[in-house]
Amino acid sequence: MKVMITIMQGVGHLNPVVPLARALQTAGHEVVFACAPSFLSVVEALGFHALPAGFDWQQLPAESRSAKFDWQQLPQTDRMPSGFDWQWQRETSNSQQVHSSDQRANDSFTSEASLHVEDAGAPPMGLPVLAGQYVEKVFPDLLALVKQWQPDVIVRGSMDFAAYLVADACNIPHATAGNGLIMPRSMLKMMVGEPLAAARNRYGLSPDPDLVGLDHYLYLCMTPPDYQYPDTNVPTLHFIRPTVEDNVYHQDQLPAWLDSLPDRPTIYITMGTTFNRAPALFTTILEGLRYEALNLIVTVGQTQDPQRFGPQPPNVYIERYIPMTLLLPRCEAVICHGGANTVMTTLSYGLPIFLTPIAADQPFHAQRCADLGVGLTLLAAYLKPDAVRSSVRKLLDEAHFRQTAQRLQREIEAMPGPEYAVELLAQLARERRPLLSNGA
């Protein structure tokens, strides 16, 4: 079987599918990645064959890759998460007023991370770009690659809309590999319905007004079932254990200083691999926690210099990168932005989370973690040291957060691994029909 895996540029998009790609290779199948030319070297460094398709979406100006939506247009039952109230986030944080007159965080987001937080009335979302400019630029390259390489199956990231169109154009069965919350169809239609309809018309494809074709054949969901909303309606949904390979930077050892940490709670602080270019966010968190009886381990990403944060107390350790899978067994809690990979890896180790979402789908993950009882959340634009300190104390002092996280950890451990996904993909290649879930 020949499998083409299409991913958007970014370590966060690559890491979740690496275990699946390795399992496919182990089973004797041929695998190729299709991605932005600037990302080929990252994929190839992991030992995979990769082909160029499209462009680097991260190089677009921020105003070209973000948009705001009036969530009130959606029926209450279709919002994600149900009833999420941005006004509440403006006015309160853990029962404390957190309106900030200083704009350090906002200024940092826009200048350092090229993110538009503005008044945070709603988060910036990049979906229209991915369904519009991204599809327009990627479709021709990907179509040519598919015709040349002739895969039996295409596996696409849930936000890679170009691959869904190309697969339809070439009559090739395709599977979605999703490691986040499944968006209600009405929400997707509101955000990407028009650009996808225009693209289908432009490329001579039959209309798909309800976007049912996105997950027509198979949806490989890399979250525990209880993490998804109960009314998720995807007939082809199959759950796969979230297994993130996070050694992209070929670092397989922990720093030596970890063995000499004092006997007190260790907190890991990360903003992932894309949204880490906001130093004021790290500074605010450290202001809230540096004088607590905690070990604080901060990773700021390959593009940040740890020295820029200046002298720190001896309980603060700032590094560019440490693999989470090596570090988390030594931690009691995680502070993060709410990226899907970070959340799933944290839950895989049964740890509570304080989430400070910045953009994209991060607010939804943050609220879902709060709803489930594994974490606390506050929008990054309104983060203040006192709120960080009180939230972390609450996570450590109240056992139910960790107990709930450990329940999800046990659920994750009981899930089938990537080998099950390989079996499903092989069946899809043979039968070329939708693979319905057991409950469908």
Side-chain angles (χ1 to χ4, degrees):
M1 175 175 63
K2 297 174 69 176
V3 181
M4 175 177 286
I5 301 176
T6 69
I7 58 170
M8 295 177 57
Q9 186 203 15
V11 171
H13 296 284
L14 172 62
N15 279 348
V17 296
V18 168
L20 171 60
R22 296 207 189 283
L24 284 164
Q25 289 181 330
T26 299
H29 302 295
E30 189 175 355
V31 176
V32 67
F33 279 82
C35 60
S38 58
F39 201 58
L40 292 175
S41 60
V42 178
V43 178
E44 291 170 343
L46 294 176
F48 298 111
H49 181 40
L51 299 171
F55 77 125
D56 181 353
W57 68 272
Q58 294 181 357
Q59 293 180 0
L60 286 172
E63 60 271 15
S64 298
R65 54 184 168 97
S66 64
K68 291 189 176 183
F69 297 94
D70 180 6
W71 306 113
Q72 302 302 319
Q73 294 179 13
L74 287 174
Q76 184 73 23
T77 55
D78 288 343
R79 294 178 197 165
M80 180 184 154
S82 179
F84 192 87
D85 188 349
W86 296 103
Q87 186 64 32
W88 177 87
Q89 286 279 9
R90 285 178 172 180
E91 296 176 351
T92 184
S93 165
N94 303 324
S95 300
Q96 299 180 35
Q97 292 297 315
V98 293
H99 280 94
S100 176
S101 58
D102 86 49
Q103 293 296 310
R104 288 178 305 158
N106 284 357
D107 292 344
S108 176
F109 297 149
T110 52
S111 63
E112 294 284 347
S114 296
L115 300 171
H116 279 302
V117 174
E118 300 178 38
D119 65 350
M125 299 289 289
L127 288 186
V129 173
L130 307 185
Q133 296 183 52
Y134 183 81
V135 166
E136 182 179 346
K137 294 177 181 294
V138 172
F139 184 95
D141 290 353
L142 189 57
L143 180 63
L145 289 182
V146 168
K147 288 182 175 180
Q148 176 185 359
W149 201 70
Q150 297 185 346
D152 298 298
V153 174
I154 294 174
V155 177
R156 68 174 192 91
S158 58
M159 294 297 104
D160 185 352
F161 300 109
Y164 139 74
L165 297 175
V166 169
D168 278 2
C170 297
N171 194 29
I172 295 175
H174 55 92
T176 302
N179 65 332
L181 287 159
I182 299 173
M183 292 186 178
R185 263 309 164 257
S186 56
M187 184 176 182
L188 273 177
K189 286 172 62 177
M190 182 182 72
M191 291 190 290
V192 304
E194 290 186 8
L196 284 182
R200 294 189 72 87
N201 181 63
R202 181 165 62 249
Y203 301 126
L205 302 175
S206 60
D208 184 15
D210 294 322
L211 303 181
V212 296
L214 284 171
D215 312 312
H216 174 69
Y217 288 100
L218 176 62
Y219 194 116
L220 302 172
C221 184
M222 295 176 284
T223 75
D226 283 351
Y227 190 79
Q228 296 294 334
Y229 291 97
D231 56 353
T232 297
N233 183 23
V234 178
T236 57
L237 184 64
H238 294 259
F239 287 96
I240 310 296
R241 183 172 63 246
T243 308
V244 175
E245 181 169 322
D246 61 355
N247 194 20
V248 169
Y249 299 113
H250 308 287
Q251 181 177 333
D252 56 6
Q253 291 183 337
L254 290 170
W257 50 257
L258 270 163
D259 291 329
S260 58
L261 289 180
D263 185 15
R264 56 193 178 192
T266 297
I267 309 297
Y268 176 48
I269 303 165
T270 176
M271 294 298 137
T273 55
T274 299
F275 291 89
N276 52 27
R277 297 184 297 275
L281 192 54
F282 291 107
T283 299
T284 299
I285 294 170
L286 289 175
E287 286 178 2
L289 298 177
R290 62 161 60 97
Y291 297 116
E292 297 290 295
L294 303 168
N295 300 315
L296 303 178
I297 300 176
V298 186
T299 55
V300 296
Q302 298 292 338
T303 61
Q304 295 267 21
D305 181 0
Q307 298 302 316
R308 74 176 296 171
F309 296 93
Q312 298 291 332
N315 64 319
V316 177
Y317 306 83
I318 303 179
E319 300 278 346
R320 280 191 167 91
Y321 180 79
I322 302 175
M324 288 184 69
T325 52
L326 299 181
L327 179 59
L328 291 193
R330 303 188 183 214
C331 297
E332 276 66 47
V334 171
I335 299 174
C336 70
H337 59 313
N341 292 331
T342 304
V343 170
M344 285 302 114
T345 306
T346 300
L347 294 179
S348 295
Y349 286 88
L351 298 178
I353 323 174
F354 175 61
L355 306 105
T356 176
I358 301 170
D361 61 346
Q362 298 157 20
F364 305 132
H365 285 287
Q367 188 63 34
R368 186 59 178 154
C369 287
D371 290 344
L372 290 170
V374 299
L376 299 169
T377 180
L378 175 66
L379 280 175
Y382 301 114
L383 197 66
K384 297 196 73 172
D386 287 348
V388 176
R389 184 161 50 250
S390 62
S391 295
V392 171
R393 285 175 178 168
K394 188 177 181 70
L395 287 179
L396 297 178
D397 292 344
E398 299 184 15
H400 65 90
F401 290 107
R402 189 176 187 104
Q403 291 167 355
T404 306
Q406 289 173 338
R407 178 182 63 78
L408 286 173
Q409 178 188 25
R410 292 190 294 272
E411 185 177 341
I412 290 171
E413 290 172 346
M415 295 171 67
E419 298 77 15
Y420 176 55
V422 172
E423 295 175 6
L424 290 172
L425 291 172
Q427 181 182 352
L428 180 58
R430 290 192 309 270
E431 300 178 6
R432 297 175 60 83
R433 63 173 179 83
L435 302 183
L436 301 181
S437 58
N438 292 335

